[in-house]
Each structure stands twice: as C-alpha cells, then as structure tokens.
Amino acid sequence: MSDPGEEGKREAAGHGATPEPDTEFSIAQSNALLPLLLIAALTVLVLLVVTVRSRPVIPPVGAPADKAYSPKDFPEVFKALDALAVKDTGPELARASFPVPPPPFTEGMFPCMSCHESIPPNAERRPLEAMHADIVFEHDAEHRWCLDCHDVTDRNQLRLANGTLVPFTESYRLCGQCHGTQFRDWRTGIHGKRTGYWDGPKRYLLCVHCHNPHSPRFAALAPLPPPVRPQFLAAGDAAAVQGAAAPPAGEETGHGAQTH
Amino acid sequence: MAHRPTDVPAVDGSAEERAQPAAVLRRRDFLTAIGVAAAGYLAGCSDEVREAFFRNHFLELSPQEVEARLRRLRDTYGARYGKNVDMSAVAARPGVVFGYALDLSRCVGCRRCVYACVRENNQSRDPQIQWIRVLEMEKDKGIDFAEANPYYDPERVPEEHHFYLPVACQQCRQPQCTMVCPVQATWQEPDGIVAIDYDWCIGCRCCMAACPYGARHFNWGDPHVPADEINPDMHVLGNRPRLRGVVEKCTFCVQRVRDGRYPACVEICPVGARKFGNLMDPEGEISLILEQKRVFVLKAELNTQPKFYYFYGT
C-alpha cells in the first residue's frame, strides 16, 4: 500500500457505524460461490440478449414491401416508354442533327400566334394576370422574364441573346447560352437522355422534356413499389410451401394499391 | 475379411466367385440390362428428348446444333405462351466491349428501371425476381452497404439527405462467378457480357456466393410470367424464360444491345442517369464519361474490374 494512512482511515470508517465489515466477511466466505454467481448472471444476460435479438423482425402485413408488384401494375409508365422507342432507323432521325420528339406543349397552346396575332405586343415587364397566370416562374425570376427567351413579335419562336430566332424544337440552343457545360454534355449524350441505337441513330430528349423551362428544378416523382421482402417472397401461390406462416399477401393489397 | 472363418485359408478371386450362389444377379448383368433398357428408351423417344438428354455446353455446339436448339426453344415457348417467339443466338460483334455508366448525381431512386427490366427480360413475377436493386443511402454516411435500404417507399423521391445507388450485374472483367462455377455454365462473352447457359446450370449457387454485388438471383420456385406479358424478343443467353433451379442475372439486355439498341433501363430512366455504349469507341458516351467525369466502381478493392461505372455528372 502506497498510502497506509489513508487505508487505515478507510478501514476505520468501515468499522464504524455501517455494517460493512459483515459484507466483507461474507464475500471472503463465499469465495467459491462468486464465480458461479458470475457465470449464472452472464448466462442469464446472454440468454436475454439472444431471445430479444434473435426474434425475427417481421414487419406486419400492410407494411411496405409485402407484395410482389409486376410491370403490368403501372401501364402508364410503360406507355411513355413505348412512345419514346425508336422503331424506324430511317430518314426521320437522319435529317436533324439532334432529332427530338415534339416539345411538351400544353394542350391547345401551340401555335402561340393563333392568339398573339391579334394581341398587340407589350414589352413591359409585368406579372401576367389575364393569361398564363398558371405558370410558376422560378427560373432566376429576379433577373429574367418571358421576353428574355420568347420573341416579342414572333411568339411561335424563341429568341437567342443575339437576336436569332430558333424554333421550339431547337430550344437546346437557347438553354445552352447559359448552361454551357450541360449543353456540352447533352450533345455527347452524357447529360440528359437518348433513346434508339448505341451504334446508330438516336433520339434526344429536349431540356424541357425533363426540366420545366419556367421552373427547371427536376420535379420529385412517386417511386414504383419496393421489392418484396424475402419473408413475403412466394406469398402468392406458394403459400402451401410456407404453411400457415405465410401471410395472406394476395388479399392484403390495400396499402399498395392506395400508395401507388 | 471378418466374415471368412479363420481356419479357411485365403483363396483367389475365382474360387470365391465360384462359392457364391448362382441365383444372385451379377453386377455385370445388371449394368448391361440397365444400359440396354436406356438405349432402347432413348431410341424410342422423340428427337426433342434425345436432344435434351445429350445436349452439350452452349459454347461447344456446332451452328447446326445451335439452330436446332433455337428451333426447339421457339416451338416450346411459342406453344406455351401462344406467341410468335423470336429466339436468337446473335454472337458478340468484334471490336465491341460494352460498358455502362450511371450518374449518381441524377438518380432519384424512382425504380422505373427495375420494372422495365422485369418486363423486358421476362423475370418471374411470382415468386418475384428483380435483377436491379436500388439502394437508398444517406448522404452523411456515403456508400455504406450495411446501412443501405432497398425497401424505401416514400410518397415522393428523391428524399432529402438521401441518394440512390442502383445495383445490378457489374459485368466484371474478372468475374468471380464464372471462376467458381463447377460446370462452366457461366462465362464472359467476347463483348464483355457475362452470360449463363440456363440449360447447363446445375443450380449449385456457388456463383451467387462468389458475387460481391448480390447480382445473381436463383429460381427457387417455378418462375411465373403471364403469357400476355411475355416479351417475345428473346436471346438464348438472355431473357428467354428460365427454369426452376437455375441462376439468372442482368445481361445488359443482350437481346437488345447485340441488335444495336439501348438496354431497357437506359430507355426508361426518367432522369437520363443511365448511359450505355461501346467502351472501344473513343467518341462513344462511355469513353467520354470515363475521360471527363469523376468515375468509380463498386468494391474496387476486390479487383473484379467491373464494366459498370458510377459517376457524378455535375
């Protein structure tokens, strides 16, 4: 003991009013029991942990990923895919340098001049109220407005900064004025999407097919449902294989049908 | 020998044979009978069964035998699904090695690719098999497979503070799966696609254990695809209907890409995150991505050398 004085003090305190000497005495007596007790306590602890942790975490029926979905559950998604498919390798794609599908006009909006022919052009910057009020403009709204891109006299075309008029099918030239790196990547197929043939004619999507030009941040979309969890895997016709443990996932489609 | 009495001296084989009772069926006769019966059965059954019985490894088939197998598959599936099946065995083109790139800065985790793949490649609907698995990960944690969640299902994606990592077959240049296959039912084609001969696979699943990407899937049950959903444009090493007890995986849509088309996942991706092309073409999009963007592969430390690259387009 490096400090016998303190040790002695503590002992003195122990021998005082408290029944601590008894405790010390009993521990010394049960020297053989101590390891046994320890082992028993450890065993109980291990068993407890094992029972708690090893219980399979089975999400209740109705939780996500309890049903196997098939592509036929989402016909609208694949209708869009089939519309994009490039079937003909012929003249349509060979003509243009960047063949694109028709721009995504709102129904009945194009040609713009069918209305604007009779409306005197007004180049004053102002919020639109009578028409086009539904357009949410979040494209550098502080600095830009309609006539920075739309031509004031020929509304059927777009207007580059240098005054060149370009049709809506070449709107990438307009976007590329500011977004040069994206335009560079788009031309080589790194940015944006191309369909068709990796070794042949390709159809490009215009910038505006994915980015609303008036509010270009890519809009969040609903995901298709997750893969079925393994415990629900063969829930359909293989219920017999899994016995009563297989939940009746075939009937419990409510959740998925509502969400998706 | 324990059964021989110790007082009898050991005799040679012929003496022992003579000592056996005559009524016992001798092994030689038994084997001969079996052989004769089998030969008789095979002689009597149809060409189709004979072909299936004596079929060879796909790579060892002569052009005539390939044609015969295609015809057989065409007839089988045509009858089963009531469709005109276009079954091809188009070989790899010289000078082409396929590469794939996926823009992680664009992917929103919408899972359109998963279902387009299921539809294109005739994956079993029930029990469900999906070749593409989209993992949701937290931006704070980076690529961490232990924390990845494939079952995310929010109202809208992308969710804040998350990114999405779709994983399918990485088409490695050093494919571990092909190296462990005890019957060589899976191999790397000259254009880099790792193919499986479904007729040759014995279902031991060694390849699944060897694959570090979880890209291979096993048909535990009879795969089921409704007849009206079958894609009749098939390749014998690709999307033809599988059998129970075989392994399957992404083939880069071999039936499409050997025709020059893009894979189905590339065409459906609504954000254009998926890129596909010929690695040997210096002007192709994959070469340009490798040249210009920040590119990485999954589990590079395993030296599998995937041809599936992930990159950041921004």
Side-chain angles (χ1 to χ4, degrees), chain A residues 72-89:
Chain A
K72 75 162 193 316
D73 299 328
F74 325 103
E76 69 292 340
V77 168
F78 294 101
K79 213 186 288 171
L81 173 70
D82 293 336
L84 275 178
V86 179
K87 295 280 184 213
D88 58 303
T89 59

Side-chain angles (χ1 to χ4, degrees), chain A residues 64-65 67-72 74 77-79 81-82 84-87 181-182 184-185 188-200 202 205 210 218-230 233-238 255 259-260, chain B residues 93 96 98 103 106 108-112 115-116 118-119 125-128 130 133 150-158 220 229 256-262 264 266-273 275-278 283-285 288-289 292-293 311 313:
Chain A
K67 179 178 182 285
Y69 287 87
S70 158
K72 75 162 193 316
F74 325 103
V77 168
F78 294 101
K79 213 186 288 171
L81 173 70
D82 293 336
L84 275 178
V86 179
K87 295 280 184 213
T181 53
Q182 279 82 358
R184 178 198 65 199
D185 286 351
T188 53
I190 297 176
H191 183 110
K193 174 164 156 180
R194 304 194 292 189
T195 56
Y197 294 79
W198 58 264
D199 67 340
K202 300 169 178 64
L205 285 194
C210 301
F218 192 87
L221 68 174
L224 296 189
V228 64
R229 287 177 196 269
L233 190 56
D237 54 1
H255 159 80
T259 323
H260 310 286
Chain B
R93 286 187 218 177
V96 172
F98 290 122
D103 190 344
R106 306 266 175 254
V108 295
C110 68
R111 292 205 191 91
R112 302 284 191 276
Y115 288 90
V118 167
R119 193 177 82 140
R125 312 298 204 259
D126 191 8
Q128 184 185 64
Q130 294 178 347
R133 173 155 288 213
Y151 301 115
Y152 64 92
D153 194 18
E155 287 289 311
R156 301 265 156 196
V157 285
W220 289 98
E229 294 177 44
R256 291 172 68 105
V257 299
R258 288 202 178 157
D259 263 3
R261 297 157 72 199
Y262 280 121
V266 170
E267 295 228 322
I268 200 165
C269 180
V271 296
K275 305 293 168 193
F276 179 84
N278 180 7
E283 300 301 312
E285 55 230 74
L288 294 176
I289 287 167
Q292 298 171 5
K293 299 296 177 188
F311 73 104

Side-chain angles (χ1 to χ4, degrees), chain B residues 145 212-213 297-306:
Chain B
F145 291 104
Y213 306 102
V297 295
L298 289 186
K299 303 193 180 180
E301 69 276 16
L302 299 179
N303 198 29
T304 51
Q305 304 175 25

Side-chain angles (χ1 to χ4, degrees), chain A residues 125-144:
Chain A
R125 185 173 169 152
R126 65 195 187 281
L128 300 182
E129 274 152 11
M131 222 15 212
H132 305 309
D134 54 324
I135 292 176
V136 181
F137 191 68
E138 288 171 348
H139 194 165
D140 193 16
E142 203 185 320
H143 305 106
R144 310 250 154 248

Side-chain angles (χ1 to χ4, degrees), chain A:
Chain A
M1 285 295 138
S2 59
D3 195 348
E6 195 165 321
E7 184 73 17
K9 235 184 281 168
R10 219 184 300 139
E11 254 181 45
H15 282 292
T18 53
E20 206 164 67
D22 279 340
T23 332
E24 262 180 31
F25 178 71
S26 66
I27 286 172
Q29 275 300 85
S30 58
N31 229 356
L33 270 179
L34 191 65
L36 279 180
L37 270 174
L38 263 175
I39 289 170
L42 265 178
T43 316
V44 167
L45 194 72
V46 166
L47 280 178
L48 203 72
V49 169
V50 164
T51 39
V52 169
R53 296 296 298 271
S54 71
R55 201 174 301 148
V57 187
I58 297 180
V61 174
D66 68 339
K67 179 178 182 285
Y69 287 87
S70 158
K72 75 162 193 316
D73 299 328
F74 325 103
E76 69 292 340
V77 168
F78 294 101
K79 213 186 288 171
L81 173 70
D82 293 336
L84 275 178
V86 179
K87 295 280 184 213
D88 58 303
T89 59
E92 185 227 341
L93 296 185
R95 258 201 311 276
S97 49
F98 297 110
V100 295
F105 294 118
T106 312
E107 194 75 37
M109 277 290 173
F110 195 81
C112 311
M113 288 309 272
S114 55
C115 291
H116 278 276
E117 199 85 65
S118 54
I119 303 172
N122 179 357
E124 190 197 337
R125 185 173 169 152
R126 65 195 187 281
L128 300 182
E129 274 152 11
M131 222 15 212
H132 305 309
D134 54 324
I135 292 176
V136 181
F137 191 68
E138 288 171 348
H139 194 165
D140 193 16
E142 203 185 320
H143 305 106
R144 310 250 154 248
W145 84 295
C146 316
L147 297 185
D148 287 329
C149 301
H150 295 277
D151 188 62
V152 67
T153 50
D154 184 359
R155 295 300 168 93
N156 286 347
Q157 304 210 61
L158 298 164
R159 185 178 176 280
L160 302 187
N162 65 6
T164 315
L165 297 186
V166 295
F168 278 92
T169 50
E170 290 176 27
S171 57
Y172 48 85
R173 291 170 65 190
L174 180 80
C175 309
Q177 294 178 124
C178 296
H179 305 284
T181 53
Q182 279 82 358
F183 186 38
R184 178 198 65 199
D185 286 351
W186 179 83
R187 281 180 300 189
T188 53
I190 297 176
H191 183 110
K193 174 164 156 180
R194 304 194 292 189
T195 56
Y197 294 79
W198 58 264
D199 67 340
K202 300 169 178 64
R203 177 182 280 153
Y204 288 68
L205 285 194
L206 286 169
C207 316
V208 293
H209 281 117
C210 301
H211 304 279
N212 181 338
H214 302 124
S215 136
R217 172 167 283 279
F218 192 87
L221 68 174
L224 296 189
V228 64
R229 287 177 196 269
Q231 59 264 44
F232 301 115
L233 190 56
D237 54 1
V241 178
Q242 299 197 351
E251 297 148 32
E252 290 281 338
T253 57
H255 159 80
Q258 280 157 21
T259 323
H260 310 286

